[in-house]
Amino acid sequence: MLPAPYDAILKELHRFMPADRVYTDPLRTLAYGTDASFYRLIPKIVVDTDSEDEVVRILHVVNTHGVAVTFRAAGTSLSGQAISDSVLVRLGDGWRHYRIFDDAAKIELEPGIIGSQANRYLAPHGKKIGPDPASIDTCKIGGIVANNASGMCCGVAENSYKTLHSMRLVLVDGTPLDTGDPDSREKFAKSHAHILDGLADMRARVLADKALAERIRHKFKIKNTTGYSLNAIVDFEDPFEILQHLLVGSEGTLAFISKVVYNTVVEHPHKASALMRFPDVRSACRAATALRGGAVSAAEIMDRASLRSVQDKPGMPEGLDKLGPDACALLVEVRAETAKELDRKIAKVKETIKDIEPLEPHRFTPDPAEFGKLWNVRKGLFPAVGAVREAGTTVIIEDVAFPIESLADGALDLQELFRKHGYDKAIIFGHALEGNLHFVFTQDFNGQAEIDRYEGFMEDVTDLVANKYEGSLKAEHGTGRNMAHFVELEWGRDAFALMREIKELFDPRGLLNPGVIINDDPRAHLKNLKPLPVADDLIDRCIECGFCEPVCPSRTLTLTPRQRIVAYREIARQKDAGEAAQTQKAFHDSYDYDGEATCAADGLCGTRCPVAIDTGKFIKQYRAWGHGRWENAVASFAAGATGMTVHAVSGALRVAGTAHDVLGDRAMDGMASGLHKFSGKRIPRWNTSMPRAATPARLEPKPAADRVVYFPSCVARHMGAEKHDPDKTAIRDRTLSLLAKAGYEVVYPANMTKLCCGQPWESKGFMKQADEKLQELECALRAASNGGEYPILCDTSPCLYRMQEHIKGLNLLEPVQFAVQYLGDRLEFTPVNRKVALHITCSSRKMGLAPIMENLARQCAREVVVPDEIFCCGFAGDRGFNYPELNEASLKDLRKQLDGCTMGYSTSRTCEIGLSLHGKVPYKNFLFLLDEASWPKG
């Protein structure tokens, strides 16, 4: 039961919001209310909004009842600014519209667009947005602007504040304003003259107070996101410009940002990097200071502790382990329009710092693979600390800035504070050109002594940065709850009073994200600390950053990997705390669907996770925990009688196909839907793209000089084309045709009808049975390949991926790998005159095949479409039959991206079912396209 007045608010929300976008249950409010910080507040109500009109109506509701509301984008915030114990409003998929105009000099973006996606829109024009935060592949435009997030290259010259052209916003009273629309400005000037007059008055008073005006200008010469963007008051005369620039970095405390127009910046095509190694911090800082404002685009400083944390990782540059105890590195990047200009800039960099003695000569590389390896040093620092911390502790990353001339002294003083407070494994790195340092350490908040240690450390850090060096307590991570109490310490009484006045002018009742930026509680940064109970070895390293979320197929349906871990940690906490059995059961039952049933377990989350957590592996383990003796017995029987099982599936497909022919699409679909629903999802959900039983192969292998073992997966063996596919050819025939053209003789493994890689069992958590099937397959493949003499082709990527993971010493290849390694020198590829779609399976992505598959497809077809933002189809083996809503949620944007496509290709037959259903074009195995487009050379 919700406390008053939230029960009344809920009823009012349900009058205009769909019920499936308003949440009050314990699991989802916890999971959806968690951000990347080390704070936790659980909202009473979570609302997913898709339009500005909904935001306006939500604001009217909260105003009526006088309750707080917090707006949330991606939740990658590190300082606690995206959490609430009241009403939390999240951005849904409706906030992803954009427009590029003025010859790509400007881009209009809605707040739900991910930062890197905006850059992909601009890439064909040679442009990008200015801000480049480390979380750009996850964080959204709304959060980037609201936090004035910057990054490694944008500094203070190309952040949101400096590249903002205009914005559309909604005030707390529900009034919209588009600062780029003269009509909107005119209406606002009439309805809210008090705000514009108030801002104009502030400017006049600040300019009259020369000391305050100069302090504001001085504070923003370096990176600064502590408090409000007071520089707007001295930088602009137009009250509308002041208003919109105050919104930058306001963390949702002044208004809701519903649209942003950026002035774009150039994305230089030529780049080179060097990992400069110096004997100590002071030398590296001297070099950074000398390079500032010159030819360098980025200069990332890394202390010896940072380098030590990654020096033994695979793929790191040589020699890091040989550096002395005080060594320091500067990772420098130079960018240019032409290769000649790049060489000139590199020469200038070397000349600029020639008098600063390095540990070895500076070596720049323009090779993307090589400088990618250098940048992996920088990218690996935060994960390196997170990966080795003790279970139950959190990773804290703080973010300060010093005047550039004090950077070395500031860094050395920070190291001394680490020693004083016992943070022996803390590391320092950051954006040296801006005097911006990040320091990372692990913290246990499970005991008062540890909390006291953290409190003492923060008191010393804030005194050091704000008082000794007059730096920024927050340079780019936002004020949040973490630094809200210290804003006055940094800014002083007069500037802080100005911030209070700004808050009062925009939000007089304090309803927007209270406790953030301005907080009178001196212990606010020590309260509402996030519990991190030990839950399971597979997930205990999770830092809840949310980097995994954009690639998760269930992200708009139920939970993301981060949220699954958050919810399971709560299960562990409830168990440890001995909470009521009824409470534990209710939460656990919710998790069975939200956490387990709708998880595709595709493992793509692990490719984005800073500490390489594959939440899918944990969910498979969770499924295994739920299996009893009966379930294991059935799984063992099915594994032992694979031939019979496959035969039964083929029979079922024949019966379903006959019924489909008799009843037609609509009647068959309706009957299947009813059976699925009333069986409690036990009966698989038939759909109109369901395959027919596979037809027998017609071609026979032909003798040739070279041999290849071909293992058709069990799904490829028993699943043929769908009813509406004009090409009913068996995949085995297409594969044999392709191999014959290339001059290969095909060898099949013995007893093939009984063989399986074990993937169907593994996905359900039956690991013992899965491994037994894999061992059986391995024996057959070793024999067929003459102990590994011949390459082995499997037509299904997920199966092949499992085989590669566990079978060593055999040359195992899926279609793309085989084509690149064994067909390129034997076949010519002539593009077919069609526009085709390409789906790169999650397994192919994990194998690093995405760019290779796309390039190969473009050799085989006139035009190739790779749908945007679809990383996994969500069919998840056979899970799409029982939980079709997962497949539907993942592919809801597919159809509109396939305009003009006549065929789609992939490398997994079950994926192709869901893709055909939601894309409305037949999808087939990639081998079909390779066969159609290829001819023998000569």
Side-chain angles (χ1 to χ4, degrees), residues 583-856:
T583 300
Q584 291 190 50
K585 184 180 186 304
F587 200 93
H588 211 290
D589 289 347
S590 295
Y591 193 80
D592 283 344
Y593 177 77
D594 290 348
E596 182 271 313
T598 53
C599 177
D602 57 22
L604 283 181
C605 47
T607 66
R608 293 287 188 95
C609 176
V611 290
I613 294 173
D614 181 347
T615 310
K617 285 187 176 180
F618 170 72
I619 292 298
K620 291 173 185 177
Q621 177 179 279
Y622 181 88
R623 290 168 184 164
W625 293 336
H627 297 325
R629 183 179 299 176
W630 169 249
E631 289 88 350
N632 275 291
V634 172
S636 295
F637 174 79
T642 302
M644 186 187 303
T645 302
V646 171
H647 186 71
V649 171
S650 297
L653 291 175
R654 289 190 186 92
V655 171
T658 301
H660 187 191
D661 290 337
V662 173
L663 297 173
D665 288 0
R666 182 175 297 180
M668 183 70 175
D669 188 58
M671 183 180 72
S673 176
L675 289 171
H676 177 68
K677 179 179 179 180
F678 291 113
S679 69
K681 301 188 177 183
R682 293 180 181 85
I683 296 177
R685 175 67 164 91
W686 181 94
N687 62 64
T688 53
S689 294
M690 185 73 80
R692 302 300 177 93
T695 57
R698 297 175 182 176
L699 299 180
E700 292 293 332
K702 297 179 180 179
D706 298 309
R707 291 184 170 185
V708 58
V709 177
Y710 173 37
F711 171 59
S713 70
C714 50
V715 291
R717 294 198 301 269
H718 73 255
M719 289 185 177
E722 60 172 292
K723 177 181 179 179
H724 301 295
D725 186 348
D727 183 357
K728 300 296 193 291
T729 311
I731 185 174
R732 202 184 308 182
D733 285 342
R734 283 290 195 175
T735 306
L736 291 177
S737 169
L738 179 69
L739 294 174
K741 282 188 283 188
Y744 286 105
E745 178 182 348
V746 170
V747 177
Y748 292 121
N751 299 316
M752 193 167 63
T753 58
K754 299 180 180 180
L755 298 179
C756 177
C757 69
Q759 182 72 17
W761 285 269
E762 182 192 333
S763 67
K764 296 176 179 62
F766 294 105
M767 304 308 298
K768 175 177 176 292
Q769 294 85 348
D771 290 344
E772 288 173 353
K773 293 306 299 180
L774 189 68
Q775 290 171 8
E776 183 181 14
L777 174 62
E778 179 180 355
C779 291
L781 292 178
R782 288 195 183 279
S785 65
N786 197 26
E789 180 182 351
Y790 315 134
I792 300 167
L793 167 65
C794 177
D795 49 36
T796 302
S797 294
C799 301
L800 192 280
Y801 181 75
R802 173 169 165 78
M803 292 157 63
Q804 282 186 343
E805 265 194 311
H806 300 286
I807 299 175
K808 306 304 176 186
L810 296 181
N811 189 11
L812 299 155
L813 305 159
E814 58 84 74
V816 174
Q817 293 172 324
F818 185 84
V820 170
Q821 293 186 37
Y822 290 95
L823 300 182
D825 59 346
R826 295 171 180 245
L827 298 177
E828 299 277 2
F829 291 101
T830 303
V832 298
N833 189 28
R834 290 202 306 273
K835 182 179 181 180
V836 303
L838 185 66
H839 175 71
I840 303 164
T841 68
C842 44
S843 300
S844 298
R845 291 181 183 278
K846 289 188 289 186
M847 288 186 277
L849 297 177
I852 300 170
M853 186 175 184
E854 186 174 346
N855 181 60
L856 187 56

Side-chain angles (χ1 to χ4, degrees), residues 125-364:
H125 306 279
K127 297 293 188 69
K128 64 177 181 176
I129 62 172
D132 61 342
S135 58
I136 196 167
D137 289 333
T138 305
C139 64
K140 298 178 179 179
I141 295 299
I144 290 173
V145 178
N147 290 282
N148 197 19
S150 48
M152 289 180 275
C153 296
C154 82
V156 294
E158 295 180 344
N159 60 16
S160 292
Y161 183 91
K162 289 294 179 67
T163 58
L164 176 69
H165 174 268
S166 62
M167 70 165 59
R168 186 173 174 88
L169 56 101
V170 182
L171 291 182
V172 68
D173 63 6
T175 302
L177 165 65
D178 189 335
T179 63
D181 179 2
D183 290 340
S184 180
R185 288 164 64 118
E186 183 179 352
K187 289 178 183 177
F188 189 84
K190 293 177 180 178
S191 65
H192 288 72
H194 68 284
I195 291 182
L196 299 177
D197 292 344
L199 294 176
D201 178 65
M202 278 185 211
R203 174 175 167 80
R205 284 187 281 121
V206 168
L207 293 181
D209 186 340
K210 296 190 183 301
L212 178 58
E214 182 53 37
R215 177 160 181 77
I216 292 171
R217 292 189 184 99
H218 172 75
K219 290 290 292 178
F220 285 101
K221 287 180 180 178
I222 60 174
K223 277 187 177 181
N224 193 325
T225 60
T226 311
Y228 290 119
S229 299
L230 295 184
N231 46 339
I233 296 172
V234 296
D235 288 348
F236 301 99
E237 183 176 354
D238 180 358
F240 284 103
E241 288 288 356
I242 297 173
L243 187 154
Q244 71 174 7
H245 283 85
L246 280 173
L247 263 289
V248 177
S250 63
E251 300 176 24
T253 63
L254 301 181
F256 172 79
I257 299 170
S258 60
K259 192 178 294 182
V260 176
V261 177
Y262 275 124
N263 294 312
T264 61
V265 301
V266 174
E267 172 66 299
H268 294 106
H270 296 274
K271 304 175 185 178
S273 294
L275 186 65
M276 300 177 174
R277 309 176 196 200
F278 295 96
D280 51 46
V281 169
R282 201 169 293 280
S283 298
C285 290
R286 280 181 58 209
T289 303
L291 294 172
R292 192 168 188 253
V296 171
S297 298
E300 295 293 295
I301 192 168
M302 292 168 276
D303 72 352
R304 184 66 185 98
S306 293
L307 299 172
R308 190 178 296 112
S309 71
V310 296
Q311 65 187 24
D312 297 323
K313 305 286 184 185
M316 291 294 107
E318 294 181 2
L320 295 184
D321 56 335
K322 305 284 195 305
L323 297 175
D326 299 319
C328 189
L330 202 63
L331 178 56
V332 171
E333 181 167 288
V334 176
R335 299 178 175 185
E337 282 292 319
T338 65
K340 186 175 182 179
E341 183 187 0
L342 185 71
D343 291 339
R344 182 183 62 77
K345 285 188 172 183
I346 291 172
K348 183 178 179 181
V349 168
K350 291 181 177 179
E351 175 65 22
T352 300
I353 59 173
K354 65 180 181 180
D355 294 330
I356 303 172
E357 190 67 30
L359 289 175
E360 58 183 52
H362 305 310
R363 292 188 294 271
F364 278 87

Side-chain angles (χ1 to χ4, degrees), residues 16 25 45 267 311 389 391 405 407 437 474 478 508 553 584 612 667 702 752 864 876 916 929 934:
F16 63 89
D25 63 283
I45 301 173
E267 172 66 299
Q311 65 187 24
R389 77 186 195 280
E405 64 274 10
L407 182 60
L437 296 181
K474 283 293 183 182
Q584 291 190 50
K702 297 179 180 179
M752 193 167 63
V864 177
S916 299
L929 180 61
S934 62

